[in-house]
């Protein structure tokens, strides 16, 4: 049996970011990670896009804007700690449109083309969000992993948590404590537990977090002159240029459970939509296809904060915004775990908004 102070279940961007914040504030933290490679963290495009995602005015938009504002300092700290580059790029996001929108800020076609030449003849206008940005999510995952190791956070991989031990019948009851975790490598015990298992959260708790599959692909520009200098967020696809000539195209949104693999139709849809939006894509080299599983909830908002178990905190269900929300989730969850004070930022994201029959 292994005993710890705080045990985080899940080694994706959310689990790592929370662990680093807790450790930086003096807590002893251990992460149990089943498979680092399966996390949605790696599959994402890395957009930091609260405005381009068109989130309506809401606590969610506020949380996303706060997290976007935290990004530059958060990345700076992580890069200073590790000496690695996370590919943060305050490049702005352009949202070219085929249809007119009455939302404020509309730019006509000529203005959109000054930001990005060679767009589709069908683009009639759109919006420019200079504060939206991107990070190279795969590079960031490595930086977080290294930072966690630099800080002395224990990370155990290949550990499948099979069940929570509660010392009572396995019910979702407010007076219960988690007493231990049953894993494929024995019993683990901690004072506090944090669930950050994304799309797989239902394996451990009856909370409504479901996988929403996203297929992605990457092309590469052959010459050194980068044709794209900001993200293009179109009506049917988004195109995310990295500084090294790689260009990410995403993403499908499919309710197919954990069905693995890229499909011909998925890749076809992505390429058609990307070529329609930005025709030069057709000449670039196809480099990679992949897929991942967004952790989605019925209202598409994350589940953050206390749980029905007194010593279990929830940080899951980030859906399309896990990369964006990592810094603010880390800050708010660490503060909540260390002080046990309710954080007003988390109120709108409490699990009890769902009727779970408890
Ligand atoms: N954040 C973009 C996506 O989930 O496809």
């Amino acid at each position: 049996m292994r005993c710890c102070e705080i045990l985080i279940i899940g080694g994706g961007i959310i689990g790592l970011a929370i662990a680093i914040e807790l450790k930086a504030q003096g807590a002893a933290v251990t992460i149990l990670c089943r498979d680092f490679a399966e996390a949605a963290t790696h599959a994402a495009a890395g957009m930091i896009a609260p405005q381009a995602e068109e989130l309506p005015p809401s606590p969610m938009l506020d949380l996303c804007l706060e997290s976007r504002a935290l990004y530059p300092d958060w990345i700076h700290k992580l890069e200073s700690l590790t000496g690695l580059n996370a590919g943060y790029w305050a490049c702005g996001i352009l949202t070219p449109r085929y249809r007119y929108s009455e939302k404020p800020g509309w730019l006509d076609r000529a203005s959109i083309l000054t930001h990005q030449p060679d767009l589709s003849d069908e683009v009639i206008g759109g919006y420019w969000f200079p504060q939206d940005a991107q990070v190279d999510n795969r590079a960031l995952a490595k930086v977080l992993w290294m930072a966690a190791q630099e800080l002395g956070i224990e990370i155990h991989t290949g550990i499948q948590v099979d069940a929570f031990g509660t010392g009572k019948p396995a019910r979702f009851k407010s007076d219960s404590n988690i007493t231990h975790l049953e894993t494929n490598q024995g019993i683990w015990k901690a004072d506090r537990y944090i669930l950050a298992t994304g799309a797989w959260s239902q394996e451990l708790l009856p909370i409504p977090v479901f996988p929403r599959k996203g297929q992605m692909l990457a092309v590469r520009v052959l010459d050194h002159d980068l044709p794209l200098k900001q993200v293009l967020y179109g009506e049917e696809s988004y195109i995310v240029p990295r500084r090294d000539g790689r260009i990410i195209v995403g993403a499908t949104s499919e309710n197919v459970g954990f069905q693995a693999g890229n499909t011909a139709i998925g890749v076809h849809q992505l390429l058609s939509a990307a070529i329609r939006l930005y025709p030069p894509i057709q000449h670039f080299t196809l480099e990679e296809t992949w897929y991942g599983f967004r952790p989605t909830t019925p209202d598409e908002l994350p589940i953050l904060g206390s749980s029905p178990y007194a010593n279990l905190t929830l940080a899951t269900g980030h859906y399309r915004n896990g990369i964006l929300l990592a810094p603010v989730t880390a800050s708010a969850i660490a503060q909540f775990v260390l002080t046990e004070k309710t954080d007003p930022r988390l109120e709108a994201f409490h699990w009890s908004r769902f009727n779970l029959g408890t």
Side-chain angles (χ1 to χ4, degrees):
M1 187 173 70
R2 300 286 301 266
C3 295
C4 330
E5 189 175 314
I6 301 175
L7 202 47
I8 299 181
I9 310 157
I13 186 171
I14 298 296
L16 285 166
I18 295 170
I20 288 167
E21 188 63 33
L22 284 167
K23 184 75 183 183
Q25 298 195 37
V29 193
T30 300
I31 297 176
L32 301 185
C33 175
R34 179 168 63 188
D35 178 5
F36 187 47
E38 79 182 353
T41 310
H42 305 280
M47 287 184 294
I48 299 167
Q51 289 183 284
E53 286 269 353
E54 295 194 334
L55 296 164
S58 58
M60 176 64 169
L61 177 61
D62 295 344
L63 196 73
C64 288
L65 290 173
E66 185 180 343
S67 207
R68 185 182 69 179
L70 291 174
Y71 241 95
D73 280 354
W74 186 63
I75 291 290
H76 180 69
K77 274 189 212 144
L78 291 168
E79 289 183 343
S80 303
L81 189 65
T82 58
L84 299 175
N85 189 308
Y88 175 76
W89 186 6
C91 59
I93 300 187
L94 193 68
T95 65
R97 292 281 175 260
Y98 304 132
R99 288 167 299 188
Y100 178 68
S101 162
E102 292 192 340
K103 284 195 191 133
W106 176 261
L107 300 175
D108 62 14
R109 175 177 167 83
S111 309
I112 290 293
L113 287 177
T114 61
H115 287 285
Q116 180 58 57
D118 299 329
L119 289 171
S120 167
D121 290 345
E122 296 173 76
V123 169
I124 62 162
Y127 297 89
W128 168 234
F129 300 113
Q131 294 182 76
D132 278 358
Q134 64 157 302
V135 66
D136 181 337
N137 46 291
R138 291 186 187 174
L140 175 58
K142 287 193 192 119
V143 171
L144 285 164
W145 190 270
M146 281 296 295
Q149 290 187 324
E150 285 287 327
L151 289 169
I153 293 166
E154 272 191 48
I155 308 181
H156 298 268
T157 56
I159 300 207
Q160 154 98 27
V161 179
D162 296 319
F164 287 131
T166 62
K168 298 187 176 187
R171 293 271 326 265
F172 213 34
K173 290 190 70 174
S174 54
D175 59 347
S176 302
N177 259 303
I178 304 287
T179 52
H180 62 276
L181 302 181
E182 292 165 18
T183 82
N184 63 342
Q185 295 187 29
I187 300 290
W188 288 74
K189 267 179 166 302
D191 300 329
R192 303 286 308 244
Y193 302 84
I194 299 173
L195 184 78
T197 45
W200 293 268
S201 298
Q202 281 218 49
E203 291 177 8
L204 287 172
L205 273 187
I207 48 174
V209 183
F210 307 95
R212 177 81 55 84
K213 182 176 175 181
Q215 299 190 48
M216 312 274 292
L217 59 85
V219 295
R220 186 168 284 280
V221 190
L222 296 177
D223 55 48
H224 294 291
D225 212 13
L226 298 183
L228 291 167
K229 299 208 165 43
Q230 66 273 302
V231 174
L232 302 180
Y233 198 116
E235 290 176 28
E236 305 166 330
S237 69
Y238 50 75
I239 299 174
V240 184
R242 302 285 198 235
R243 281 182 163 127
D244 65 354
R246 183 171 157 93
I247 298 173
I248 315 293
V249 175
T252 64
S253 186
E254 303 166 63
N255 278 315
V256 293
F258 287 107
Q259 190 181 85
N262 283 96
T263 58
I265 187 68
V267 172
H268 170 74
Q269 281 168 359
L270 291 174
L271 284 173
S272 305
I275 292 168
R276 180 181 177 203
L277 180 62
Y278 182 64
I281 288 261
Q282 65 195 285
H283 303 298
F284 302 160
T285 310
L286 183 59
E287 192 173 75
E288 186 187 351
T289 60
W290 69 95
Y291 61 91
F293 301 104
R294 304 175 185 88
T296 187
T297 62
D299 57 10
E300 301 183 347
L301 302 177
I303 301 177
L304 303 172
S306 67
S307 82
Y309 295 110
N311 60 348
L312 173 69
T313 302
L314 305 177
T316 185
H318 289 76
Y319 186 40
R320 299 177 65 89
N321 297 297
I323 303 294
L324 165 62
L325 285 173
V328 80
T329 302
S331 146
I333 293 292
Q335 187 182 313
F336 173 70
V337 168
L338 295 175
T339 65
E340 301 200 2
K341 285 200 189 114
T342 312
D343 184 330
R345 289 177 296 181
L346 300 182
E347 271 166 23
F349 309 107
H350 198 252
W351 68 272
S352 59
R353 69 187 189 273
F354 303 114
N355 180 4
L356 302 180
T358 53

